[in-house]
Structures are given as C-alpha cells and as structure tokens.
Amino acid sequence: MIIDLYIAKHLSKRLIAIMLLIVGLLLIENMFSLFQFSLQTGAPATAAVAMLVFLLPEYLAIGIPISLMLAIMLTFLKLSKDNELTVMSAGQVSPFRLLRLPLGFGILLAALNALLVGYVEPMAEFRFAEQSYKTRSGAFGKAIAAGAFTSIGADLTLHVGSISPKGGELNGIFLEFKKDAGRVSYLTASRGIFVQSGNKDFIIFRLHDGQIVTTENVDETKPATLEFDRYDLAVALPKIPQFRGRGEAEKELTFIELIEKARGEG
C-alpha cells in the first residue's frame, strides 16, 4: 500500500503537468486565430473563449494517452536514478507489483478517454460548429467603429464620432433610418447607448440631446424637425437562420449513434 501511494504521488504530479502542457500548447495554437476571427466578425471575446472550451474534449483525448505514457516513463526513470528500484527489487518487490498502480491508472484513463471520444467530443464538435456559425452570421451583433458608417439591417445607417472605452457609450451620433411610405429620418444626438428590451427581436438605442429631421422622401424641401432630450429607438435585430441539426457530419455522432447508423445502412 505504501509503495502504491509513493508511486501514485510521483505519477500523478507528472501526469497533470504533462497534460496541462500538451493541452495548453494545443489551445494556444488555435487561440490567436479564434480571437482574430471573433474580432473580424464583431463577436465578443467570450465567443472565442466558448469555441476554445468546445475544443477541450478533443485535446484531452489526444493528451491523455501521451501524458500517461510519458508520466510512467519519467516516474520509473526517477526511481531508477535514485536507486529506489534497486532497493525495491532487493526487498523482493516484483515488477508486476510495481506496475499494478500504473496499470490501474491506464484502465481508468482508458475508460475516461472512451467516454470523451465516444460521447463528449461529438457533442462538443457540434457545439463548436454552431458557435462558429453564430459568429460568422452576426448573431452576436455588429462591430461599430468610430468614424465609419455602419449598416444595421436594411433600413438603418449609423455613424459615431467616438466610443467610450467604459460602458460602451457612443458620442457624436448620426443616424439615417427609413420608415414606411418612403419617409426618411435623419437623427443626430450627442450621446447614446444600446440597452436590452423586453422583446428578443429588438434592442433599444437610447439617445440623448439631439434632433430628428423627417422627410417624405430624400428630396423633400420642408422636413419636419423634432428636438429631444431622450429618445428610445427600437432597432430590429437581424433574423439569423437556425443552425442545422446535429449529426449531418459523422464526427458529430456518438459511438452508439454510429453503430445504429451502420446497422441502418447495412
């Protein structure tokens, strides 16, 4: 029992360290490209973090057998260098007795790896594809850059002079939005911010200290003008088509689903 605890102490430390190193390197390999992808599409950084999390099962499935093999080799190499294997052998501890605990580690981690590959990884693969689709399609909103015109839907164009780094408040706002019957409105405001509404299909653009100029069409010579201290403009969120169902790609199928599919095709 004491020998098992001693070997487990050295083996577990090396196993965890090597696992963290392998998974960390694999995550770093994709981290920068995913963050760049989220920035280019205007998605928040949390979208890239979520995609990295969905990659973890695949990387763990790769790292577990490699980490276990290296951890066992390094553990017994240390025992050999410190002449502890010689002492154990002199005490009539057989090689099989020494390998009993590493074999137990191997069985447990093999079961964990089978669970990862057979069930968790296919689910994570689908969630990664879904998150990537949402990021590309603009489901997390559109990036607004200071000093540039941004189209929000088909009827609204926005230009802001500056964006506050704290709180996301927009300053120096110019808006052009089209209404029914050919009316076009131009809005200016000193500041504004986007806030959530009770309707999931709309977001409120809360504007302060500005005016609205409304025309029947673009060539109207006598527009109507309205000044305001506060004005809430409901902005329709884009309609994002629903993502496909899981299982169109074979790597998104669990082990049981793959067996059922093979039987069905047979």
Side-chain angles (χ1 to χ4, degrees), residues 200-236:
K200 64 179 181 179
D201 296 326
F202 291 89
I203 192 170
I204 300 298
F205 193 9
R206 183 157 293 163
L207 302 151
H208 298 272
D209 304 326
Q211 65 177 3
I212 304 174
V213 178
T214 303
T215 65
E216 293 299 325
N217 53 63
V218 178
D219 300 325
E220 180 64 54
T221 57
K222 295 181 179 180
T225 303
L226 172 67
E227 295 186 354
F228 61 86
D229 295 324
R230 170 179 153 177
Y231 182 76
D232 286 350
L233 177 65
V235 179

Side-chain angles (χ1 to χ4, degrees), residues 60-117:
L60 284 172
I62 295 172
I64 284 175
I66 299 174
S67 301
L68 180 61
M69 180 189 70
L70 292 177
I72 293 173
M73 291 175 59
L74 291 174
T75 298
F76 280 93
L77 179 62
K78 178 188 182 303
L79 295 177
S80 176
K81 283 187 175 181
D82 294 343
N83 294 321
E84 291 175 284
L85 284 180
T86 305
V87 174
M88 293 178 187
S89 179
Q92 297 184 346
V93 179
S94 67
F96 179 77
R97 176 67 181 80
L98 294 175
L99 289 174
R100 187 171 68 180
L101 187 96
L103 286 173
F105 267 76
I107 292 171
L108 289 175
L109 292 178
L112 175 60
N113 219 33
L115 178 64
L116 285 172
V117 175

Side-chain angles (χ1 to χ4, degrees), residues 37-54:
F37 174 54
S38 65
L39 289 174
Q40 289 173 348
T41 55
T46 52
V49 173
M51 286 190 282
L52 284 173
V53 171
F54 294 140

